[in-house]
Amino acid sequence: MASDTSKRSSYFLISPMALIFAVFLVIPLLTIVVVSFWDYDEYRILPDFIFENYKYLLGSSVTWSIYLNTLKYAVLTWFFTLIIGFTVAYFLAFHVRSLTWQIVFFMLCTIPFWTSNIIRMISWIPFLGRNGLLNSALINLGIVDQPLEFLLFSDFAVVLADVHLYALFMVVPIFNSMMRIDRSLVEAARDAGASGFETLKSIIVPLSKPGIAIGSIFVITVVMGDFITVRLMSGGQSASVGLQISNEIGLLQYPAAAASAVVLLITVLLIVTALLRLVDIRKEL
Amino acid sequence: MAFFSKNRERRPTSFYFLAAFFALFVLFLYGPMLTIFILSFQGENGGLTFPMNGFSFHWFGNLFEKQAVGDFGGSFSRSLKLGLIVMVVTVVVSFMAGMAFRKRYKGDSIVFYLAIASLIVPSILISLGIGLLFNIVQWQPQWFTSALGAHLTWTFPFGLLIMFAVFNRFDPSFEEAARDLGASNWQTIQYVVLPMVGPSLIGVAMFSFTLSYDEFARTLMTAGALNTLPLEIYGMTTNVTTPVLYALGTVTTGFSFLVIALALGTVAIMRRRKGQKA
């Protein structure tokens, strides 16, 4: 009897969250899948069951080059955020020796992430622009004689902004993993004559893997689906899958957008499934 | 503790490299924000880049003139209201879900995996899906219906994961003691559980407010006819070419920091009160 009531109370307690996810996550995603088989003309979407949207999408070489481009952004961003995230987390966890300073430095890293992504992208304009700080400095120092054009509105700018936006997503989970490493392991390694690099390679990196996996999932999925960074930072000169979807939405070609969305979703889920083999998320909390 | 007490040991060379790297990282994070903060005080004839052409509050004034840059006041108040609603709903629902997850029951992993899915599904898909759904059933998208739902799919996973982290470290013997002393279920929650998880709930509140307040992609197709602030800012990036953009950045960033300060202040006060009682 008692377990019956407690079960019922669990179901009661979870129901609001389950309901919201059902209405605003599950049903919308199913809607996308359904609509991806629909037809459309200039004015409206027409219920149907056709494969034209997929045929057109997968048969177009543009799609493949857009996917390649998006993957390029994702891999580059992942690589740089991983290097930065690991180094920063390692510094905080193993080289800052007082807990107070660890907290202060950690807060220092997180504060910029509480502001709007769009504002953080815009903030690169005065720095990278043709007359921006970096170009002026380079010209004044005599390193270049003309402003570098590739700094803003380029692939470089997109990856730079992505790294700037999402580096914290790597720092936090890796730092979390590192703080759980038993310090006596590190000391034992050192007593046994391991160099700093050997300790890093055979103890710290393997034990930080869950954090690395979680951070990677975050960064890769967010960059794969991104469209606003690409639009703002490439100045409309590059494309990504998300941007393609948002353009199709803008043109009211909803079934085409839905088909792109389904393919993107499958891609992202495959990547995540691969990464989840490395980590059990529920254990890491 | 041994780790912290060996303070006087000589620092290895690698420490200085890492410290320099960290300093550069902080500069990388803050540098661009600082430049737009400075440039938002650009003189009336100044442009989007340095040099500063005098110093003025001109662009801040410009922000509040309705014709100049769209509807800043209206979109700000909508984002504020939406953020507050999202915050309250997320705190209550995440707390309930966190309590539910302390026991195992049939189907509990479904909601957990939905939360993870909600986190990794690209935001534009949520936007598109909800937009299509409303389109098909012929409901008018509104910031307080469709956009609210879209934002909740973003804040719930964070709320739930934070509650997991909290309850994983929560000692149930306090509740057992309260029950042994004759407290009802509700009294146990009110006098034992809530005070203990209070600071984390403030964290969830701060998280969910800021995530909603800054959310762009999930609002794109769900806000309906009236813009939220991020949509307004995005519109400005394509057609405004004056430092008023930076003024807006400075104002909204300042506002975000105010929210963090409020949240941290509340936690500090709660801690102190608890200390006095003990």
Side-chain angles (χ1 to χ4, degrees):
Chain A
M1 211 39 213
S3 81
D4 251 18
T5 25
S6 97
K7 245 186 204 161
R8 226 179 295 146
S9 82
S10 280
Y11 284 120
F12 165 75
L13 288 169
I14 200 70
S15 56
M17 185 169 279
L19 192 73
I20 295 277
F21 278 142
V23 175
F24 290 102
L25 177 71
V26 178
I27 297 179
L29 288 181
L30 292 176
T31 310
I32 292 180
V33 175
V34 170
V35 170
S36 70
F37 294 104
W38 286 15
D39 202 355
Y40 61 98
D41 59 25
E42 287 99 273
Y43 313 102
R44 65 223 137 114
I45 49 177
L46 309 159
D48 205 336
F49 189 75
I50 54 168
F51 291 89
E52 293 305 313
N53 301 313
Y54 287 103
K55 267 188 209 151
Y56 182 77
L57 179 73
L58 300 175
S60 151
S61 64
V62 177
T63 307
W64 298 99
S65 71
I66 287 178
Y67 264 89
L68 218 59
N69 204 38
T70 313
L71 273 174
K72 179 183 75 186
Y73 290 144
V75 169
L76 285 173
T77 308
W78 172 76
F79 176 77
F80 289 113
T81 52
L82 178 61
I83 302 274
I84 293 173
F86 188 88
T87 313
V88 168
Y90 177 68
F91 173 72
L92 290 178
F94 290 99
H95 284 267
V96 179
R97 287 170 183 170
S98 92
L99 189 61
T100 319
W101 279 109
Q102 274 177 333
I103 293 172
V104 169
F105 284 158
F106 188 74
M107 292 292 283
L108 198 65
C109 293
T110 55
I111 286 172
F113 292 84
W114 294 103
T115 66
S116 155
N117 277 0
I118 301 177
I119 298 289
R120 293 183 68 203
M121 288 174 219
I122 295 169
S123 67
W124 282 105
I125 294 172
F127 190 74
L128 297 179
R130 180 193 277 262
N131 304 313
L133 286 179
L134 191 56
N135 269 326
S136 317
L138 289 175
I139 289 172
N140 287 340
L141 290 171
I143 297 173
V144 294
D145 3 294
Q146 282 182 22
L148 298 174
E149 297 284 349
F150 73 88
L151 292 177
L152 193 60
F153 305 137
S154 60
D155 284 353
F156 169 79
V158 174
V159 174
L160 181 75
D162 275 334
V163 171
H164 188 233
L165 289 174
Y166 306 126
L168 185 78
F169 290 175
M170 278 291 190
V171 176
V172 173
I174 299 179
F175 179 67
N176 182 37
S177 285
M178 283 180 176
M179 290 301 276
R180 291 176 180 200
I181 298 177
D182 189 345
R183 295 307 193 255
S184 52
L185 282 176
V186 180
E187 291 198 7
R190 213 191 314 169
D191 291 348
S195 70
F197 181 72
E198 280 166 342
T199 315
L200 193 68
K201 198 183 78 181
S202 48
I203 294 181
I204 296 171
V205 172
L207 291 175
S208 308
K209 259 192 193 137
I212 294 175
I214 292 178
S216 305
I217 290 174
F218 252 124
V219 170
I220 292 175
T221 55
V222 96
V223 177
M224 282 303 292
D226 166 81
F227 64 101
I228 176 145
T229 317
V230 176
R231 183 181 287 172
L232 280 182
M233 299 309 286
S234 82
Q237 296 178 38
S238 286
S240 74
V241 184
L243 190 57
Q244 186 192 27
I245 297 174
S246 103
N247 288 339
E248 284 163 343
I249 292 173
L251 296 168
L252 305 181
Q253 300 171 342
Y254 294 131
S260 308
V262 170
V263 175
L264 172 63
L265 186 60
I266 293 171
T267 315
V268 168
L269 288 179
L270 286 176
I271 296 174
V272 172
T273 317
L275 285 168
L276 276 180
R277 287 174 161 241
L278 303 173
V279 55
D280 178 354
I281 289 190
R282 239 180 134 162
K283 260 195 214 150
E284 292 308 316
L285 298 164
Chain B
M1 273 291 110
F3 179 67
F4 298 119
S5 56
K6 287 203 300 185
N7 258 334
R8 294 298 112 215
E9 192 187 334
R10 251 196 79 219
R11 301 254 186 212
T13 337
S14 58
F15 169 82
Y16 296 98
F17 282 108
L18 289 166
F21 186 90
F22 181 73
L24 281 176
F25 178 64
V26 171
L27 187 69
F28 171 65
L29 288 183
Y30 285 84
M33 293 296 295
L34 271 176
T35 53
I36 69 157
F37 173 72
I38 295 167
L39 281 169
S40 60
F41 295 97
Q42 179 73 279
E44 273 184 51
N45 301 317
L48 279 172
T49 48
F50 284 103
M52 290 288 280
N53 205 329
F55 175 93
S56 77
F57 291 98
H58 175 78
W59 305 107
F60 289 95
N62 214 310
L63 202 54
F64 294 94
E65 292 163 19
K66 208 169 175 174
Q67 280 76 17
V69 285
D71 183 14
F72 169 69
S75 58
F76 173 72
S77 85
R78 274 187 289 279
S79 277
L80 183 63
K81 279 183 258 178
L82 180 57
L84 289 173
I85 300 171
V86 169
M87 178 181 94
V88 172
V89 175
T90 306
V91 168
V92 174
V93 172
S94 305
F95 176 72
M96 288 170 73
M99 291 291 282
F101 269 104
R102 297 173 69 192
K103 295 170 205 131
R104 302 223 38 114
Y105 54 93
K106 219 178 166 186
D108 60 350
S109 53
I110 296 176
V111 176
F112 175 73
Y113 283 113
L114 280 179
I116 298 296
S118 200
L119 210 54
I120 59 175
V121 168
S123 297
I124 183 136
L125 265 65
I126 305 278
S127 219
L128 174 65
I130 296 176
L132 283 175
L133 176 65
F134 272 57
N135 185 327
I136 290 168
V137 296
Q138 310 223 316
W139 291 337
Q140 197 61 41
Q142 301 275 10
W143 61 267
F144 49 83
T145 55
S146 41
L148 172 63
H151 284 201
L152 291 177
T153 62
W154 186 223
T155 55
F156 278 1
F158 288 98
L160 186 65
L161 294 181
I162 293 174
M163 290 327 290
F164 269 166
V166 170
F167 282 124
N168 275 354
R169 293 166 178 73
F170 192 87
D171 185 352
S173 54
F174 288 103
E175 288 160 283
E176 278 160 30
R179 262 188 224 112
D180 288 349
L181 291 168
S184 69
N185 276 340
W186 179 240
Q187 280 173 323
T188 312
I189 289 175
Q190 190 184 353
Y191 295 112
V192 179
V193 181
L194 278 179
M196 289 177 78
V197 303
S200 312
L201 288 180
I202 302 277
V204 173
M206 178 173 91
F207 238 105
S208 47
F209 177 84
T210 331
L211 288 176
S212 162
Y213 178 75
D214 291 331
E215 181 55 35
F216 171 78
R218 282 175 201 241
T219 331
L220 190 63
M221 277 190 75
T222 58
L226 300 168
N227 274 354
T228 61
L229 191 58
L231 293 179
E232 197 72 27
I233 296 174
Y234 179 69
M236 286 175 64
T237 59
T238 52
N239 56 33
V240 175
T241 49
T242 60
V244 72
L245 203 55
Y246 301 150
L248 181 58
T250 303
V251 170
T252 61
T253 304
F255 181 75
S256 294
F257 288 170
L258 192 71
V259 171
I260 308 173
L262 267 175
L264 292 178
T266 317
V267 172
I269 290 171
M270 284 169 85
R271 288 251 163 82
R272 197 171 302 157
R273 278 220 195 123
K274 222 194 218 164
Q276 276 168 358
K277 268 186 205 160

